[in-house]
């Protein structure tokens, strides 16, 4: 089988040699581990886990119209497009270097160099920013951007910013991010990513935009890689395992637990059903490899009954299914030792939410959405008063 050879790099440090199928972009073999301590967390001494990490790194095939767009551009798989862009990402500092090329991190990284994003331009099918002339050799962050929604990285005032779209014809998912931002800002308790509204010209739909929380010195390690970096005790829940591993890496256990409990409580209020292990994580110093702290709360768009507003009126709102440590919101709440981490007096009121959502007249059943929000707050009030368990 034909294969191309690369070094898997962390910044300017070669981690190991890998071979990649030039047709599919799949990682085939791993050899010559030079600095195994720099392997992505959760993949150490496990070739199969490293292959899965590489596959997961590529843009998901179900993101927006990505499959159709890749076919138009002549790529057979997302991994092939990832290889074309050297595996570069705006969340961490890993990349691949062809053995025959003399490349350095300072020349290729997306944090300090201009980049191009032709696929994202086609995803949105509308101009979102002014055209910027860059070299044909510039690389694209769209090859590694995660999630199902169409997304686009842009450079605005020298800052890397992410624009996110929506499923369907209305803008609720983008406005959900704005609602979550308002909630966290008023609580002023834990770090969070601030989203704001953006409306491109000649486009009826609203999008949201946020600044990157990673940089040339700080990278994101998703929770899935944190938990996979250590063997879990069979008697321990995945939730407690995550906290324990973070402590092994030097994070304060109480601070980590407080952050997770606050995240569970605010996700409950917002009915965020998609806090899976790639939707939160920790920040790592790229030079010392030390964990700095929990990454700010991000990606809360799948919330506020966006798929089914009538769900807000069902009898038992505690049994809503979630993609997280547990299968339902009620089970997640069992992890919370201090339900008073959220100040109910500082939550956004319904008038504030109405003002945000009314920016898009296509959002239906707004009364039902607000009813669900009100009921969630009442449940949390009872939990804080210990009248329900």
């Amino acid at each position: 089988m034909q294969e191309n050879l690369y070094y898997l790099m962390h910044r300017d440090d070669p981690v190991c040699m890998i071979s990649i199928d030039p047709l599919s972009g799949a990682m085939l073999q791993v050899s010559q581990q030079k600095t195994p301590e720099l392997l992505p967390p959760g993949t150490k001494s496990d070739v199969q886990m490293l292959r899965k990490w590489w596959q997961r790194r590529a843009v998901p095939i179900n993101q927006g119209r990505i499959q159709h767009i890749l076919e138009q551009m002549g790529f057979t798989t997302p991994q092939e497009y990832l290889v074309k862009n050297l595996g570069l990402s705006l969340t961490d500092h890993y990349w691949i270097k062809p053995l025959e090329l003399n490349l350095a991190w300072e020349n290729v990284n997306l944090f300090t160099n201009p980049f191009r994003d032709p696929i994202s331009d086609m995803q949105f099918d509308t101009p979102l920013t002014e055209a910027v002339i860059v070299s044909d050799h510039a690389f694209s962050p769209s090859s590694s951007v995660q999630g199902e929604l169409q997304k686009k990285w842009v450079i605005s005032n020298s800052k890397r910013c992410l624009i996110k779209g929506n499923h369907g014809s209305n803008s609720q998912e983008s406005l959900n991010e704005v609602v979550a931002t308002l909630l966290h800002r008023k609580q002023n308790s834990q770090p969070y990513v601030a989203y704001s509204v953006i409306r491109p010209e000649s486009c009826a739909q609203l999008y949201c935009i946020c600044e990157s929380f990673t940089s040339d010195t700080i990278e994101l390690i998703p929770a899935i890689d944190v938990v996979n970096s250590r063997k879990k005790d069979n008697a321990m829940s995945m939730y407690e395992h995550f906290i324990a591993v973070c402590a092994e890496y030097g994070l304060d256990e109480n601070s980590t637990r407080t952050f997770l409990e606050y995240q569970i409580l605010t996700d409950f209020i917002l009915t965020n059903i998609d806090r899976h292990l790639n939707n939160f994580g920790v920040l790592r110093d790229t030079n010392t490899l030390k964990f700095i702290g929990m990454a700010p709360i991000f990606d809360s768009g799948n919330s506020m009954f966006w798929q089914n507003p009538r769900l807000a009126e069902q009898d038992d709102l505690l049994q809503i299914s979630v993609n997280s440590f547990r299968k339902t919101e009620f089970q997640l709440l069992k992890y919370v030792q201090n339900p008073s981490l959220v100040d109910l007096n500082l939550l956004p009121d319904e008038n504030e939410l109405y003002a945000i959502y009314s920016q898009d007249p296509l959002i239906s059943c707004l009364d039902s959405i607000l009813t669900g929000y009100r009921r969630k707050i009442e449940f949390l009030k009872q939990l804080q008063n210990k009248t329900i368990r």
Side-chain angles (χ1 to χ4, degrees):
M1 176 185 293
Q2 184 182 2
E3 57 186 36
N4 293 335
L5 296 178
Y6 298 82
Y7 281 123
L8 174 64
M9 306 288 293
H10 184 259
R11 299 181 66 85
D12 280 318
D13 295 311
V15 180
C16 59
M17 186 183 294
I18 59 176
S19 63
I20 291 180
D21 179 0
L23 296 179
S24 68
M27 185 181 295
L28 300 175
Q29 299 293 332
V30 179
S31 61
Q32 297 187 25
Q33 293 194 14
K34 294 183 175 294
T35 49
E37 66 273 15
L38 291 178
L39 282 165
T43 69
K44 294 179 181 179
S45 304
D46 192 326
V47 173
Q48 188 59 30
M49 290 297 290
L50 187 60
R51 290 194 186 109
K52 289 181 179 180
W53 173 86
W54 176 253
Q55 184 175 16
R56 191 176 74 242
R57 188 175 186 79
V59 57
I61 196 65
N62 61 344
Q63 184 186 107
R65 299 186 293 128
I66 195 70
Q67 183 171 7
H68 175 67
I69 294 171
L70 286 175
E71 290 173 354
Q72 281 187 311
M73 298 182 69
F75 295 102
T76 57
T77 68
Q79 285 72 34
E80 185 186 4
Y81 187 55
L82 185 65
V83 172
K84 175 74 172 179
N85 290 283
L86 301 185
L88 290 160
S89 169
L90 272 168
T91 58
D92 63 32
H93 302 158
Y94 289 99
W95 60 293
I96 59 172
K97 181 172 77 169
L99 265 60
E100 70 277 9
L101 296 183
N102 184 22
L103 295 175
W105 172 251
E106 68 175 352
N107 304 128
V108 302
N109 82 82
L110 302 173
F111 297 95
T112 60
N113 291 294
F115 53 74
R116 54 198 297 268
D117 207 354
I119 279 192
S120 291
D121 290 336
M122 298 169 71
Q123 280 265 50
F124 282 90
D125 204 27
T126 186
L128 297 179
T129 54
E130 294 183 6
V132 178
I133 299 176
V134 297
S135 167
D136 288 339
H137 300 293
F139 300 104
S140 171
S142 64
S143 66
S144 57
V145 69
Q146 298 299 298
E148 295 182 3
L149 290 175
Q150 66 267 46
K151 297 177 182 178
K152 178 179 176 62
W153 282 104
V154 299
I155 301 175
S156 177
N157 296 322
S158 300
K159 296 178 179 178
R160 273 59 183 163
C161 298
L162 182 65
I163 298 174
K164 294 173 58 177
N166 309 274
H167 288 104
S169 59
N170 71 38
S171 312
Q172 186 179 342
E173 286 161 286
S174 289
L175 294 176
N176 286 345
E177 298 284 15
V178 177
V179 167
T181 298
L182 176 62
L183 184 153
H184 297 308
R185 180 181 297 128
K186 291 169 77 77
Q187 291 293 313
N188 193 28
S189 173
Q190 296 293 335
Y192 64 92
V193 174
Y195 294 82
S196 57
V197 171
I198 179 173
R199 187 197 296 271
E201 291 184 15
S202 69
C203 184
Q205 198 172 69
L206 301 170
Y207 303 131
C208 63
I209 186 171
C210 65
E211 291 183 19
S212 172
F213 55 84
T214 54
S215 68
D216 188 38
T217 59
I218 297 174
E219 58 187 338
L220 170 70
I221 307 298
I224 185 66
D225 292 331
V226 175
V227 298
N228 286 338
S229 69
R230 296 288 189 273
K231 182 176 176 57
K232 187 178 80 68
D233 187 323
N234 290 335
M236 181 179 285
S237 70
M238 188 64 74
Y239 179 83
E240 292 295 337
H241 175 65
F242 175 82
I243 295 174
V245 175
C246 286
E248 287 186 44
Y249 278 103
L251 294 187
D252 178 74
E253 180 178 336
N254 289 331
S255 296
T256 302
R257 189 179 298 277
T258 296
F259 177 92
L260 291 176
E261 290 187 13
Y262 172 85
Q263 184 171 255
I264 288 172
L265 290 167
T266 52
D267 279 344
F268 173 75
I269 293 169
L270 296 168
T271 316
N272 180 16
I273 62 174
D274 201 29
R275 188 64 67 194
H276 55 76
L277 297 185
N278 272 313
N279 264 358
F280 70 100
V282 300
L283 298 179
R284 184 171 78 168
D285 184 301
T286 187
N287 295 307
T288 66
L289 301 185
K290 291 183 178 180
F291 282 12
I292 300 171
M294 296 298 297
I297 296 173
F298 64 94
D299 207 349
S300 302
N302 289 355
S303 58
M304 298 298 282
F305 313 99
W306 71 276
Q307 284 182 309
N308 180 13
R310 296 301 183 190
L311 189 65
E313 300 170 4
Q314 73 175 29
D315 291 338
D316 192 355
L317 278 184
L318 295 180
Q319 296 302 326
I320 292 177
S321 297
V322 294
N323 185 10
S324 189
F325 285 112
R326 301 296 298 272
K327 294 182 178 180
T328 68
E329 289 187 322
F330 183 71
Q331 291 172 335
L332 275 177
L333 286 173
K334 294 290 186 180
Y335 289 134
V336 176
Q337 299 175 8
N338 182 9
S340 296
L341 287 171
V342 172
D343 187 337
L344 300 183
N345 295 317
L346 295 179
L347 291 173
D349 62 39
E350 293 182 36
N351 289 330
E352 291 174 304
L353 267 58
Y354 185 85
I356 292 173
Y357 287 123
S358 61
Q359 295 178 78
D360 185 352
L362 294 180
I363 295 178
S364 61
C365 306
L366 187 51
D367 287 342
S368 295
I369 293 171
L370 296 179
T371 295
Y373 177 72
R374 186 186 318 122
R375 292 179 63 196
K376 283 299 194 65
I377 294 174
E378 182 57 35
F379 279 130
L380 182 53
K381 182 178 180 180
Q382 294 177 42
L383 188 64
Q384 290 181 351
N385 293 334
K386 300 181 179 179
T387 56
I388 60 171
R389 292 185 178 273

